[in-house]
Amino acid sequence: MTSPLPSPGTPTSESGVIAIIERALLSDETVRISAPGPQVFDPETGQYVPGPPTVQYEGPGAHRAAGGPGLVLRLEGQPYKDDGDGRYLAFTPLSAPVAPEGAEVTIVASRDSAAVGRVFTVLDPGESGTHSVLRTTWMRISKTGGAA
């Protein structure tokens, strides 16, 4: 016999654990996730150009390095996905939207002054899953900032 499912909005032990983890791991940084805005027409050039980015999320988060440079075997004439160095992981609450591929993640505030102002490019849409307690997003550094 199974236990009845809680009704929507009812606190569960899982939501309590998630809240504890978010307070413990997402309290030191503020991150901003921005996606490219819709294209706008430039009357001077007669072309469509990228519009200003739209902020999808700004709030508690964290980031960390995700290992060293990868090794890519390039076969002549074969396409490959660029696998340079500088891979990082961003962590946001599950309530944050999934960051789309190509979005930018900016470290707005951090205890580590060298991290503030760093900008990362999202490599793949943010991960989601049944047992997730934080949203995880793979990214690559695109701009360093801050003061060491």
Side-chain angles (χ1 to χ4, degrees):
M1 182 169 227
T2 61
S3 300
L5 295 174
S7 59
T10 303
T12 64
S13 60
E14 293 166 350
S15 62
V17 169
I18 290 170
I20 291 168
I21 291 171
E22 286 181 0
R23 277 194 308 274
L25 299 179
L26 303 180
S27 62
D28 294 337
E29 289 186 346
T30 301
V31 300
R32 178 184 308 126
I33 300 173
S34 304
Q39 293 200 342
V40 295
F41 183 74
D42 182 354
E44 291 182 20
T45 64
Q47 302 289 321
Y48 282 93
V49 296
T54 57
V55 175
Q56 294 188 326
Y57 172 78
E58 185 167 340
H63 80 290
R64 72 168 182 84
L71 176 67
V72 177
L73 175 62
R74 297 180 178 136
L75 302 174
E76 188 172 342
Q78 298 296 315
Y80 68 94
K81 190 168 184 175
D82 184 22
D83 193 11
D85 54 6
R87 288 187 177 223
Y88 286 77
L89 288 168
F91 302 99
T92 53
L94 291 177
S95 58
V98 174
E101 185 175 349
E104 287 190 340
V105 177
T106 304
I107 307 301
V108 177
S110 176
R111 270 191 315 175
D112 179 3
S113 62
V116 177
R118 284 192 175 198
V119 179
F120 303 86
T121 302
V122 173
L123 296 175
D124 292 308
E127 296 176 0
S128 62
T130 303
H131 300 293
S132 296
V133 292
L134 294 174
R135 182 138 354 264
T136 306
T137 304
W138 285 91
M139 51 190 193
R140 175 172 290 140
I141 192 162
S142 56
K143 176 183 173 268
T144 59

